[in-house]
Amino acid sequence: MAKSYKELMNEITTFIFDVDGVLTDSSVHITPTGEMLRIMNIRDGFALKAAVESGYHVCIISGGSNEGVRIRLKNLGISDIYLGSPDKVETFREYCAIYNINPEQVLYMGDDIPDYHVMKLVGLPTCPQDSSPEIKAISKYISHKNGGKGAAREVIEQVMKVQGKWHLYYDGKHD
């Protein structure tokens, strides 16, 4: 019998997220100089930082290469940031090899076709509510939130609650 997504959450040691459509709402604001600006959710950021501080591996793999995104993620304590990744599967395999991570212990959140093949390799593929149909079809958990609107926070919080770690963030130990 297949494990439920809640049972799979017990085994998660690693979170991997795409950026556009997951940590953002897929929109880009283009300035007159051609710079593409993205909007990220503060609550997603809080949860990403909480995961890092709780000892989870947190990794970002994105085809995009915005340096503002890199700075934001570094400020949250994330050191494994792969922007401009031409092959997400190769990047994923290299990352797992560096840290000796079992793919079954990985929660990956993606939203569109570039995430498809890597999502097939992980223990808990997840996606935001507004993801493409192909990604929803292979996800073991579909967030109730859209990309950039708290989907990352939702899955991180659920994993940490299942593993008994979320309470550290509302009992005053991380004020």
Side-chain angles (χ1 to χ4, degrees):
M1 185 173 166
K3 292 183 179 181
S4 72
Y5 76 90
K6 287 280 190 183
E7 291 172 311
L8 293 170
M9 286 181 172
N10 272 316
E11 301 168 21
I12 298 304
T13 63
T14 305
F15 294 100
I16 301 178
F17 294 94
D18 177 31
V19 174
D20 294 321
V22 173
L23 298 179
T24 75
D25 69 359
S26 298
S27 298
V28 290
H29 301 276
I30 302 171
T31 68
T33 62
E35 183 180 4
M36 293 188 285
L37 305 174
R38 291 157 174 86
I39 297 173
M40 300 179 97
N41 185 289
I42 291 294
R43 290 185 181 138
D44 284 345
F46 174 82
L48 287 163
K49 186 173 182 175
V52 169
E53 290 177 354
S54 294
Y56 292 93
H57 294 282
V58 178
C59 176
I60 306 299
I61 302 175
S62 176
S65 58
N66 183 287
E67 284 306 305
V69 169
R70 183 184 309 278
I71 291 167
R72 166 72 177 142
L73 296 169
K74 280 187 175 230
N75 287 339
L76 296 174
I78 301 169
S79 56
D80 297 300
I81 304 166
Y82 301 91
L83 301 182
S85 176
D87 183 342
K88 290 185 177 191
V89 170
E90 181 180 332
T91 303
F92 168 74
R93 288 187 172 139
E94 288 173 5
Y95 176 74
C96 288
I98 290 168
Y99 293 102
N100 196 27
I101 296 169
N102 177 346
E104 289 297 312
Q105 296 174 307
V106 175
L107 179 153
Y108 185 102
M109 182 173 268
D111 72 304
D112 209 347
I113 301 303
D115 302 303
Y116 184 90
H117 294 291
V118 71
M119 288 177 70
K120 298 284 282 179
L121 301 175
V122 304
L124 186 51
T126 65
C127 69
Q129 178 63 42
D130 58 343
S131 297
S132 72
E134 296 87 354
I135 295 302
K136 285 182 168 183
I138 63 168
S139 291
K140 292 182 181 174
Y141 180 75
I142 300 171
S143 174
H144 300 287
K145 306 278 187 175
N146 286 343
K149 303 294 182 187
R153 161 72 178 255
E154 182 186 17
V155 295
I156 292 170
E157 184 175 335
Q158 282 193 58
V159 167
M160 290 180 71
K161 282 181 175 178
V162 164
Q163 294 182 9
K165 296 179 180 180
W166 186 252
H167 67 90
L168 298 174
Y169 289 86
Y170 61 80
D171 69 2
K173 292 186 179 171
H174 282 83
D175 285 347

